[in-house]
mmCIF file of all heavy atoms in Angstrom:
data_model
loop_
_atom_site.group_PDB
_atom_site.id
_atom_site.type_symbol
_atom_site.label_atom_id
_atom_site.label_comp_id
_atom_site.label_asym_id
_atom_site.label_seq_id
_atom_site.Cartn_x
_atom_site.Cartn_y
_atom_site.Cartn_z
ATOM 1 N N ILE W 156 -13.736 28.435 -11.812
ATOM 2 C CA ILE W 156 -13.941 28.656 -10.382
ATOM 3 C C ILE W 156 -15.090 29.633 -10.148
ATOM 4 O O ILE W 156 -15.110 30.711 -10.755
ATOM 5 C CB ILE W 156 -12.663 29.205 -9.715
ATOM 6 C CG1 ILE W 156 -11.503 28.228 -9.848
ATOM 7 C CG2 ILE W 156 -12.902 29.508 -8.239
ATOM 8 C CD1 ILE W 156 -10.208 28.709 -9.211
ATOM 9 N N ASN W 157 -16.002 29.250 -9.289
ATOM 10 C CA ASN W 157 -16.989 30.208 -8.777
ATOM 11 C C ASN W 157 -16.273 30.996 -7.686
ATOM 12 O O ASN W 157 -16.197 30.553 -6.537
ATOM 13 C CB ASN W 157 -18.217 29.478 -8.233
ATOM 14 C CG ASN W 157 -19.299 30.441 -7.751
ATOM 15 O OD1 ASN W 157 -19.005 31.533 -7.243
ATOM 16 N ND2 ASN W 157 -20.552 30.033 -7.869
ATOM 17 N N THR W 158 -15.722 32.136 -8.044
ATOM 18 C CA THR W 158 -14.882 32.881 -7.114
ATOM 19 C C THR W 158 -15.676 33.453 -5.951
ATOM 20 O O THR W 158 -15.127 33.623 -4.845
ATOM 21 C CB THR W 158 -14.137 34.018 -7.837
ATOM 22 O OG1 THR W 158 -15.102 34.868 -8.488
ATOM 23 C CG2 THR W 158 -13.188 33.436 -8.895
ATOM 24 N N THR W 159 -16.941 33.721 -6.156
ATOM 25 C CA THR W 159 -17.766 34.248 -5.068
ATOM 26 C C THR W 159 -17.916 33.225 -3.946
ATOM 27 O O THR W 159 -17.689 33.529 -2.763
ATOM 28 C CB THR W 159 -19.150 34.665 -5.577
ATOM 29 O OG1 THR W 159 -19.004 35.682 -6.580
ATOM 30 C CG2 THR W 159 -20.022 35.210 -4.448
ATOM 31 N N SER W 160 -18.262 31.997 -4.321
ATOM 32 C CA SER W 160 -18.433 30.955 -3.285
ATOM 33 C C SER W 160 -17.089 30.536 -2.706
ATOM 34 O O SER W 160 -16.991 30.205 -1.518
ATOM 35 C CB SER W 160 -19.173 29.748 -3.864
ATOM 36 O OG SER W 160 -18.442 29.135 -4.924
ATOM 37 N N ALA W 161 -16.020 30.569 -3.520
ATOM 38 C CA ALA W 161 -14.687 30.235 -3.001
ATOM 39 C C ALA W 161 -14.247 31.266 -1.955
ATOM 40 O O ALA W 161 -13.736 30.900 -0.893
ATOM 41 C CB ALA W 161 -13.677 30.193 -4.157
ATOM 42 N N THR W 162 -14.458 32.524 -2.255
ATOM 43 C CA THR W 162 -14.084 33.581 -1.302
ATOM 44 C C THR W 162 -14.906 33.463 -0.034
ATOM 45 O O THR W 162 -14.384 33.617 1.092
ATOM 46 C CB THR W 162 -14.295 34.964 -1.943
ATOM 47 O OG1 THR W 162 -13.496 35.069 -3.123
ATOM 48 C CG2 THR W 162 -13.927 36.072 -0.975
ATOM 49 N N LYS W 163 -16.187 33.171 -0.170
ATOM 50 C CA LYS W 163 -17.057 33.009 1.011
ATOM 51 C C LYS W 163 -16.580 31.857 1.870
ATOM 52 O O LYS W 163 -16.581 31.942 3.106
ATOM 53 C CB LYS W 163 -18.493 32.801 0.566
ATOM 54 C CG LYS W 163 -19.501 32.717 1.714
ATOM 55 C CD LYS W 163 -20.918 32.567 1.172
ATOM 56 C CE LYS W 163 -21.915 32.471 2.341
ATOM 57 N NZ LYS W 163 -23.308 32.316 1.834
ATOM 58 N N TYR W 164 -16.181 30.753 1.235
ATOM 59 C CA TYR W 164 -15.667 29.599 1.984
ATOM 60 C C TYR W 164 -14.434 29.983 2.796
ATOM 61 O O TYR W 164 -14.301 29.593 3.962
ATOM 62 C CB TYR W 164 -15.324 28.470 1.017
ATOM 63 C CG TYR W 164 -14.821 27.206 1.694
ATOM 64 C CD1 TYR W 164 -15.717 26.265 2.190
ATOM 65 C CD2 TYR W 164 -13.468 26.967 1.839
ATOM 66 C CE1 TYR W 164 -15.265 25.100 2.819
ATOM 67 C CE2 TYR W 164 -13.001 25.828 2.462
ATOM 68 C CZ TYR W 164 -13.899 24.894 2.953
ATOM 69 O OH TYR W 164 -13.437 23.754 3.591
ATOM 70 N N ILE W 165 -13.537 30.751 2.174
ATOM 71 C CA ILE W 165 -12.331 31.166 2.873
ATOM 72 C C ILE W 165 -12.659 32.033 4.081
ATOM 73 O O ILE W 165 -12.159 31.806 5.177
ATOM 74 C CB ILE W 165 -11.386 31.915 1.910
ATOM 75 C CG1 ILE W 165 -10.801 30.943 0.864
ATOM 76 C CG2 ILE W 165 -10.268 32.626 2.671
ATOM 77 C CD1 ILE W 165 -10.017 31.613 -0.233
ATOM 78 N N LEU W 166 -13.529 33.004 3.886
ATOM 79 C CA LEU W 166 -13.869 33.908 4.983
ATOM 80 C C LEU W 166 -14.604 33.181 6.098
ATOM 81 O O LEU W 166 -14.417 33.456 7.290
ATOM 82 C CB LEU W 166 -14.717 35.067 4.462
ATOM 83 C CG LEU W 166 -13.992 35.986 3.468
ATOM 84 C CD1 LEU W 166 -14.936 37.091 2.978
ATOM 85 C CD2 LEU W 166 -12.728 36.587 4.088
ATOM 86 N N ASN W 167 -15.440 32.196 5.727
ATOM 87 C CA ASN W 167 -16.153 31.405 6.739
ATOM 88 C C ASN W 167 -15.223 30.476 7.500
ATOM 89 O O ASN W 167 -15.573 29.976 8.565
ATOM 90 C CB ASN W 167 -17.268 30.585 6.094
ATOM 91 C CG ASN W 167 -18.462 31.435 5.669
ATOM 92 O OD1 ASN W 167 -18.618 32.566 6.133
ATOM 93 N ND2 ASN W 167 -19.283 30.900 4.779
ATOM 94 N N SER W 168 -14.027 30.254 6.957
ATOM 95 C CA SER W 168 -13.057 29.369 7.591
ATOM 96 C C SER W 168 -12.131 30.113 8.550
ATOM 97 O O SER W 168 -11.260 29.500 9.186
ATOM 98 C CB SER W 168 -12.205 28.646 6.525
ATOM 99 O OG SER W 168 -13.031 27.853 5.683
ATOM 100 N N MET W 169 -12.318 31.428 8.670
ATOM 101 C CA MET W 169 -11.525 32.193 9.613
ATOM 102 C C MET W 169 -12.070 31.968 11.014
ATOM 103 O O MET W 169 -13.224 32.244 11.288
ATOM 104 C CB MET W 169 -11.551 33.681 9.253
ATOM 105 C CG MET W 169 -10.704 34.542 10.171
ATOM 106 S SD MET W 169 -10.586 36.271 9.596
ATOM 107 C CE MET W 169 -9.286 36.125 8.369
#
Side-chain angles (χ1 to χ4, degrees):
I156 299 180
N157 183 327
T158 57
T159 300
S160 62
T162 301
K163 184 177 180 181
Y164 181 84
I165 290 172
L166 296 179
N167 287 342
S168 299
M169 182 173 278

